[in-house]
Short mmCIF file of all heavy atoms in Angstrom, two decimals:
data_model
loop_
_atom_site.label_atom_id
_atom_site.label_comp_id
_atom_site.label_asym_id
_atom_site.label_seq_id
_atom_site.Cartn_x
_atom_site.Cartn_y
_atom_site.Cartn_z
N GLY A 9 101.26 -119.26 -47.94
CA GLY A 9 102.34 -118.61 -47.19
C GLY A 9 103.19 -117.73 -48.09
O GLY A 9 103.56 -116.61 -47.71
N VAL A 12 101.22 -114.61 -48.94
CA VAL A 12 101.20 -113.70 -47.79
C VAL A 12 102.55 -112.97 -47.66
O VAL A 12 102.61 -111.76 -47.43
CB VAL A 12 100.86 -114.46 -46.49
CG1 VAL A 12 101.12 -113.61 -45.25
CG2 VAL A 12 99.41 -114.92 -46.52
N LEU A 14 104.72 -112.38 -50.08
CA LEU A 14 104.83 -111.44 -51.20
C LEU A 14 104.01 -110.17 -50.95
O LEU A 14 104.46 -109.06 -51.21
CB LEU A 14 104.41 -112.10 -52.51
CG LEU A 14 105.38 -113.12 -53.09
CD1 LEU A 14 104.79 -113.80 -54.32
CD2 LEU A 14 106.72 -112.47 -53.43
N LEU A 26 106.91 -94.59 -49.67
CA LEU A 26 106.11 -93.41 -49.33
C LEU A 26 106.78 -92.59 -48.22
O LEU A 26 106.76 -91.36 -48.25
CB LEU A 26 104.69 -93.82 -48.94
CG LEU A 26 103.85 -94.40 -50.07
CD1 LEU A 26 102.52 -94.95 -49.54
CD2 LEU A 26 103.62 -93.39 -51.18
N ARG A 28 110.03 -92.40 -47.69
CA ARG A 28 111.15 -91.72 -48.34
C ARG A 28 110.67 -90.49 -49.12
O ARG A 28 111.27 -89.42 -49.03
CB ARG A 28 111.88 -92.67 -49.28
CG ARG A 28 112.98 -93.48 -48.63
CD ARG A 28 113.87 -94.19 -49.65
NE ARG A 28 113.15 -95.19 -50.42
CZ ARG A 28 112.89 -96.43 -50.01
NH1 ARG A 28 113.28 -96.82 -48.82
NH2 ARG A 28 112.24 -97.27 -50.79
N GLU A 41 113.27 -72.94 -47.44
CA GLU A 41 113.43 -72.09 -46.25
C GLU A 41 114.86 -71.55 -46.12
O GLU A 41 115.05 -70.43 -45.66
CB GLU A 41 113.04 -72.86 -44.99
CG GLU A 41 111.55 -73.03 -44.87
CD GLU A 41 111.14 -73.58 -43.52
OE1 GLU A 41 111.76 -74.55 -43.05
OE2 GLU A 41 110.19 -73.02 -42.95
N ASN A 42 115.86 -72.33 -46.52
CA ASN A 42 117.24 -71.83 -46.50
C ASN A 42 117.36 -70.59 -47.39
O ASN A 42 118.02 -69.62 -47.02
CB ASN A 42 118.22 -72.90 -47.00
CG ASN A 42 118.46 -73.97 -45.99
OD1 ASN A 42 118.23 -73.79 -44.80
ND2 ASN A 42 118.92 -75.12 -46.45
N SER A 57 120.09 -49.37 -46.19
CA SER A 57 120.84 -48.62 -47.20
C SER A 57 119.98 -47.56 -47.88
O SER A 57 120.49 -46.54 -48.32
CB SER A 57 121.38 -49.56 -48.28
OG SER A 57 122.31 -50.43 -47.74
N GLU A 67 105.67 -47.03 -45.21
CA GLU A 67 104.68 -48.12 -45.23
C GLU A 67 105.28 -49.38 -45.85
O GLU A 67 104.93 -50.49 -45.45
CB GLU A 67 103.42 -47.71 -45.97
CG GLU A 67 103.56 -47.61 -47.47
CD GLU A 67 102.26 -47.26 -48.15
OE1 GLU A 67 101.64 -46.27 -47.76
OE2 GLU A 67 101.89 -48.00 -49.07
N LEU A 72 107.16 -54.86 -44.91
CA LEU A 72 108.23 -55.87 -44.94
C LEU A 72 108.47 -56.45 -43.55
O LEU A 72 108.58 -57.67 -43.39
CB LEU A 72 109.53 -55.24 -45.46
CG LEU A 72 109.83 -55.42 -46.93
CD1 LEU A 72 111.03 -54.58 -47.33
CD2 LEU A 72 110.03 -56.86 -47.30
N VAL A 95 105.93 -61.24 -48.12
CA VAL A 95 107.27 -60.66 -48.18
C VAL A 95 107.59 -60.28 -49.62
O VAL A 95 108.09 -59.19 -49.90
CB VAL A 95 108.34 -61.64 -47.63
CG1 VAL A 95 109.74 -61.13 -47.92
CG2 VAL A 95 108.17 -61.85 -46.14
N GLU A 126 118.59 -60.39 -56.12
CA GLU A 126 118.13 -60.98 -57.38
C GLU A 126 118.59 -62.44 -57.49
O GLU A 126 117.82 -63.32 -57.88
CB GLU A 126 118.68 -60.16 -58.55
CG GLU A 126 118.19 -60.61 -59.89
CD GLU A 126 118.74 -59.74 -61.00
OE1 GLU A 126 118.20 -58.65 -61.21
OE2 GLU A 126 119.73 -60.16 -61.64
N GLU A 129 116.49 -64.50 -55.18
CA GLU A 129 115.15 -64.73 -55.73
C GLU A 129 115.17 -65.84 -56.76
O GLU A 129 114.27 -66.67 -56.82
CB GLU A 129 114.58 -63.44 -56.33
CG GLU A 129 114.27 -62.36 -55.31
CD GLU A 129 113.29 -62.78 -54.23
OE1 GLU A 129 112.27 -63.42 -54.55
OE2 GLU A 129 113.55 -62.48 -53.05
N SER A 138 111.62 -77.32 -57.44
CA SER A 138 112.02 -78.65 -56.98
C SER A 138 111.05 -79.18 -55.93
O SER A 138 110.70 -80.36 -55.92
CB SER A 138 113.43 -78.62 -56.41
OG SER A 138 114.35 -78.32 -57.41
N LEU A 152 97.74 -93.49 -56.97
CA LEU A 152 97.69 -94.60 -57.92
C LEU A 152 97.38 -95.92 -57.21
O LEU A 152 97.92 -96.21 -56.15
CB LEU A 152 99.02 -94.72 -58.68
CG LEU A 152 99.35 -93.54 -59.59
CD1 LEU A 152 100.76 -93.69 -60.17
CD2 LEU A 152 98.33 -93.41 -60.71
N PRO A 154 97.66 -99.86 -56.72
CA PRO A 154 97.13 -100.19 -55.39
C PRO A 154 97.82 -99.42 -54.25
O PRO A 154 97.47 -99.59 -53.10
CB PRO A 154 97.42 -101.68 -55.29
CG PRO A 154 98.67 -101.89 -56.07
CD PRO A 154 98.59 -100.89 -57.20
N ALA A 168 100.13 -80.08 -50.25
CA ALA A 168 99.74 -78.94 -51.09
C ALA A 168 100.97 -78.41 -51.82
O ALA A 168 102.08 -78.37 -51.27
CB ALA A 168 99.15 -77.84 -50.22
N GLU A 171 102.06 -72.35 -54.02
CA GLU A 171 101.41 -71.49 -54.99
C GLU A 171 101.65 -70.05 -54.59
O GLU A 171 101.64 -69.71 -53.41
CB GLU A 171 99.92 -71.78 -55.06
CG GLU A 171 99.62 -73.18 -55.56
CD GLU A 171 98.14 -73.53 -55.56
OE1 GLU A 171 97.32 -72.69 -55.17
OE2 GLU A 171 97.83 -74.66 -55.95
N ASP A 183 104.36 -44.50 -56.84
CA ASP A 183 104.16 -43.11 -57.26
C ASP A 183 105.21 -42.26 -56.58
O ASP A 183 105.20 -42.11 -55.35
CB ASP A 183 102.75 -42.66 -56.87
CG ASP A 183 102.44 -41.23 -57.31
OD1 ASP A 183 103.24 -40.66 -58.08
OD2 ASP A 183 101.42 -40.70 -56.87
N LEU A 184 106.11 -41.70 -57.35
CA LEU A 184 107.18 -40.88 -56.80
C LEU A 184 106.97 -39.40 -57.08
O LEU A 184 107.89 -38.61 -57.02
CB LEU A 184 108.53 -41.33 -57.40
CG LEU A 184 108.88 -42.79 -57.13
CD1 LEU A 184 110.14 -43.16 -57.87
CD2 LEU A 184 109.06 -43.04 -55.65
#
Side-chain angles (χ1 to χ4, degrees):
V12 168
L14 287 175
L26 293 173
R28 272 192 296 279
E41 286 189 314
N42 285 339
S57 295
E67 73 178 53
L72 264 172
V95 170
E126 184 178 279
E129 292 303 316
S138 294
L152 294 174
E171 295 176 0
D183 181 11
L184 300 174

